């Protein structure tokens, strides 16, 4: 990483210069360069599972916060799914009152150490930042993810850690929470805070869901997940790991012992392409590939890896491939870079590490070598056509055009859906085609079965951590109202 002492000194000098001004004008704010955390050299950090970016220094964080224009109607807060009071905490941070900034962030978010690292800020708060709009460059908006991450690392390293929420008087009601990802965690914490007894049922051996097994260590260190989840036992929340609801125990059986049930089991069942050869040896779903990579389990990943897809999961898989020994990685995507749903920051990391993006290609077949392992990928070529219902140009196959590339590993990162174990064992539980649970009204969290609520990806399909947290908290409120009226 770069020399933090030199970075800190330079930022402090700039902060001193700005602070010495009689009044800080908009022109002064515009003159401050955006601050970023230190980075490992790209080709170096692609061989390590360590976090690839560092946290801002104190002077950098205060300087970045000083850039905020303190809008009367902050577009950033409006663009944040949980309405974080961004200008207010930035003002506290700019003035050096870090502890107050931390408390303000904690007052809105249950998982800020995580959201600051993995949320798509460039598509939410930062994209709406007035500074970025004034400078006509969204990349020059306030780096809210960086400032939030600094505050939460400061809480962990300087303030002695996160506080345990106060718990209301017992209601005598019991709630079962299925899944310990961001939705389940948030629902459990809020329900316990409201005085209910809560038990989490998690199919894996450790808590965290997608946070632990889906997002790579180099993007979200697992000690950060452990840090946020450390309050659960302190709050008296019971945890039962290694239990899959729908297999080991049913919803009907849970209803005998619990007054309400929350489903937050995520969208963990990977989709497949349906093309010939996708069941060959060393053709993996991204879910399996990332889970094994994150857990350090043995996985036969080769030197020449093809990743199919264009979202953040595809970017994670491409970066993971290097860390599992790949010499070259190609990301196959049927549209162009402009249409890629992956965050620009994630795409930048992938390109910096040396992955190649094959635009306007999509697999038509995977071919085995003599040993039965995938050896080649046949790719159809595409061109962009008329916009689809989301406004993106449709990929149109060019008939008669094909390309064949060599590979020894393929990772399919084309989406996921909710697994069917719970639906298959629960009478009257209605779902959509993608497995998400149908709720009683657009603003409702209650499923078609009385007393059973849902949130996170199991409700809205694969979205962001912050959206899962939001809907988990909304479900907790709905459950509380249903239980105590």
């Amino acid at each position: 990483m770069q020399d933090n002492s030199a970075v800190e000194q330079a930022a402090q000098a700039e902060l001193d210069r700005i602070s010495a001004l009689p009044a800080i004008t908009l022109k002064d704010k515009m003159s401050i360069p955006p601050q970023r955390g230190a980075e490992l050299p790209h080709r170096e950090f692609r061989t390590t599972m360590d976090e690839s970016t560092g946290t801002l220094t104190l002077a950098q964080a205060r300087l970045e916060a000083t850039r905020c224009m303190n809008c009367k109607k902050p577009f950033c807060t409006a663009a944040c799914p949980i309405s974080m009071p961004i200008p207010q905490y930035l003002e506290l941070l700019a003035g050096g009152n870090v502890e107050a900034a931390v408390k303000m962030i904690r007052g809105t978010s249950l998982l800020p150490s995580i959201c600051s690292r993995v949320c798509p800020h460039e598509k939410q708060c930062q994209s709406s930042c007035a500074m970025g709009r004034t400078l006509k460059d969204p990349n020059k908006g306030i780096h809210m993810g960086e400032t939030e991450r600094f505050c939460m690392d400061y809480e962990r390293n300087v303030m002695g850690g996160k506080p345990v929420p106060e718990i209301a008087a017992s209601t005598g009601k019991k709630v079962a929470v299925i899944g310990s990802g961001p939705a389940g965690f948030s629902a459990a914490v809020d329900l316990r805070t409201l005085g209910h007894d809560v038990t989490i049922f998690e199919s894996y051996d450790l808590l965290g869901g997608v946070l632990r097994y889906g997002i790579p260590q180099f993007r979200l260190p697992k000690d950060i997940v452990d840090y946020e989840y450390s309050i659960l036992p302190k709050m008296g929340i019971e945890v039962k790991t290694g239990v899959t609801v729908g297999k080991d125990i049913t919803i009907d059986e849970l209803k005998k012992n619990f007054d309400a049930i929350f489903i937050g089991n995520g969208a963990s069942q990977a989709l497949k392409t349906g093309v010939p050869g996708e069941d060959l040896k060393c053709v993996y779903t991204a879910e399996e590939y990332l889970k094994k990579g994150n857990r350090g389990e043995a996985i036969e990943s080769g030197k020449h890896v093809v990743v199919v897809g264009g979202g953040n999961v595809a970017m994670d898989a491409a970066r993971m491939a290097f860390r599992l020994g790949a010499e070259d990685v190609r990301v196959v995507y049927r549209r162009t870079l402009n249409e890629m749903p992956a965050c620009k920051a994630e795409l930048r990391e992938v390109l910096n590490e040396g992955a190649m993006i094959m635009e306007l290609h999509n697999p038509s077949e995977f071919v085995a070598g003599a040993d039965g392992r995938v050896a080649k990928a046949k790719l159809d070529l595409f061109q962009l056509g008329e916009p689809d219902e989301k406004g993106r140009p449709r990929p149109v196959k060019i008939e008669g055009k094909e390309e064949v590339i060599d590979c020894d590993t393929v990772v399919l990162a084309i989406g996921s859906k909710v697994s069917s174990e719970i639906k298959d064992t629960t009478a009257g539980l209605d779902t959509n085609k993608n497995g998400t649970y149908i709720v009683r009204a657009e603003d409702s969290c209650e499923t078609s079965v009385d007393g059973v609520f849902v949130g996170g990806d199991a409700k809205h399909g694969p979205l962001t951590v912050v959206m899962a947290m939001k809907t988990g908290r909304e479900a907790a409120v709905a459950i509380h109202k249903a239980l105590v009226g």
Side-chain angles (χ1 to χ4, degrees):
M1 294 231 180
Q2 64 194 65
D3 183 356
N4 266 11
S5 60
V7 170
E8 175 76 1
Q9 290 174 8
Q12 186 61 55
E14 178 68 5
L15 191 63
D16 292 342
R17 182 188 71 81
I18 292 293
S19 301
L21 297 173
I24 302 176
T25 65
L26 174 58
K27 184 177 180 180
D28 295 325
K29 290 178 181 285
M30 292 172 63
S31 72
I32 301 172
Q35 303 295 301
R36 287 195 178 278
E39 291 185 348
L40 283 168
H42 297 111
R43 299 306 171 92
E44 182 179 311
F45 73 59
R46 79 180 195 180
T47 63
T48 174
M49 291 292 284
D50 293 343
E51 194 166 18
S52 55
T53 58
T55 302
L56 296 175
T57 66
L58 174 59
Q60 277 187 298
R62 291 186 59 197
L63 190 60
E64 185 66 16
T66 301
R67 299 177 62 233
C68 178
M69 294 170 64
N70 298 308
C71 310
K72 291 183 179 179
K73 294 183 178 180
F75 300 112
C76 55
T77 295
C80 174
I82 57 173
S83 302
M84 177 73 71
I86 296 169
Q88 290 89 336
Y89 94 71
L90 288 177
E91 185 174 14
L92 292 168
L93 177 57
N97 194 346
V98 185
E99 292 195 9
V102 167
K103 290 178 182 177
M104 184 169 287
I105 293 169
R106 277 279 174 211
T108 305
S109 176
L110 290 179
L111 295 167
S113 298
I114 292 171
C115 289
S116 61
R117 286 170 161 84
V118 303
C119 275
H121 300 92
E122 64 183 40
K123 294 183 178 181
Q124 296 174 344
C125 51
Q126 187 174 326
S127 67
S128 299
C129 176
M131 177 60 78
R133 293 181 177 186
T134 301
L135 295 172
K136 296 182 172 56
D137 183 352
N139 293 321
K140 294 181 179 178
I142 309 303
H143 294 158
M144 290 92 169
E146 299 255 18
T147 53
E148 183 180 6
R149 173 176 166 175
F150 167 80
C151 288
M152 304 329 297
D153 283 4
Y154 186 93
E155 174 194 68
R156 190 174 77 257
N157 298 324
V158 179
M159 293 173 59
K162 64 187 292 186
V164 178
E166 292 185 11
I167 299 171
S170 175
T171 63
K173 302 293 184 179
K174 297 180 179 181
V175 184
V177 171
I178 302 170
S180 66
F185 170 88
S186 302
V189 169
D190 279 358
L191 286 164
R192 182 68 185 124
T193 301
L194 292 166
H196 307 296
D197 291 332
V198 178
T199 301
I200 295 175
F201 293 86
E202 169 57 51
S203 58
Y204 287 118
D205 55 335
L206 296 174
L207 298 180
V210 68
L211 303 176
R212 184 174 300 279
Y213 299 115
I215 302 175
Q217 167 80 10
F218 49 82
R219 197 152 73 88
L220 177 60
K222 301 318 160 201
D223 62 338
I224 299 297
V225 178
D226 293 337
Y227 172 69
E228 291 287 11
Y229 276 63
S230 65
I231 62 169
L232 295 179
K234 298 174 184 176
M235 295 179 70
I237 293 174
E238 187 177 0
V239 172
K240 294 188 177 182
T241 56
V243 179
T244 300
V245 177
K247 288 184 178 179
D248 302 314
I249 190 170
T250 66
I251 292 288
D252 289 338
E253 289 170 331
L254 287 175
K255 292 184 82 170
K256 295 176 182 178
N257 298 305
F258 293 92
D259 300 289
I261 298 169
F262 172 79
I263 302 176
N265 61 331
S268 59
Q269 185 174 336
L271 300 178
K272 289 197 170 185
T273 60
V275 306
E278 69 176 1
D279 294 322
L280 290 173
K281 183 181 179 182
C282 294
V283 177
Y284 303 100
T285 64
E287 188 269 342
E288 177 186 10
Y289 194 74
L290 290 171
K291 183 178 73 174
K292 288 189 173 182
N294 279 330
R295 290 172 69 97
E297 295 179 359
I299 183 169
E300 196 171 350
S301 185
K303 300 296 183 183
H304 312 290
V305 179
V306 168
V307 177
V308 181
N312 286 337
V313 175
M315 303 301 107
D316 287 343
R319 297 181 67 193
M320 179 67 79
F322 282 124
R323 287 153 179 82
L324 295 177
E327 294 176 357
D328 58 78
V329 177
R330 283 173 283 191
V331 178
V332 174
Y333 181 56
R334 60 182 184 159
R335 290 186 173 91
T336 73
L337 288 174
N338 291 332
E339 292 79 42
M340 263 192 169
C343 293
K344 293 295 184 288
E346 293 302 306
L347 179 58
R348 184 181 69 245
E349 297 284 4
V350 165
L351 294 173
N352 283 341
E353 291 189 15
M356 173 185 174
I357 310 294
M358 296 187 70
E359 301 173 289
L360 298 170
H361 286 75
N362 207 46
S364 60
E365 183 179 0
F366 302 114
V367 181
D371 59 354
R373 177 177 182 152
V374 65
K376 295 182 184 296
K378 291 184 179 180
L379 307 176
D380 288 330
L381 273 63
F382 288 76
Q383 60 187 3
L384 297 181
E386 295 299 315
D388 61 15
E389 63 278 1
K390 294 182 179 180
R392 295 192 302 171
R394 296 179 185 275
V396 179
K397 179 182 173 181
I398 303 174
E399 296 299 332
K401 291 277 191 177
E402 183 184 70
E403 186 174 345
V404 181
I405 59 175
D406 294 329
C407 59
D408 56 18
T409 305
V410 173
V411 184
L412 306 177
I414 58 172
S416 60
K417 64 178 182 179
V418 181
S419 59
S420 63
E421 298 99 339
I422 294 176
K423 172 186 167 51
D424 293 343
T425 56
T426 309
L429 187 59
D430 298 329
T431 62
N432 296 298
K433 289 182 179 180
N434 64 351
T436 55
Y437 297 92
I438 295 174
V439 292
R440 301 190 176 192
E442 187 175 343
D443 60 348
S444 171
C445 299
E446 190 168 14
T447 68
S448 55
V449 175
D450 290 345
V452 179
F453 298 77
V454 66
D457 291 357
K459 178 184 180 183
H460 47 58
L463 288 177
T464 59
V465 170
V466 70
M467 281 301 298
M469 177 177 68
K470 178 184 180 182
T471 55
R473 303 194 79 176
E474 289 171 348
V477 172
I479 292 170
H480 180 65
K481 289 180 179 178
L483 293 179
V484 302

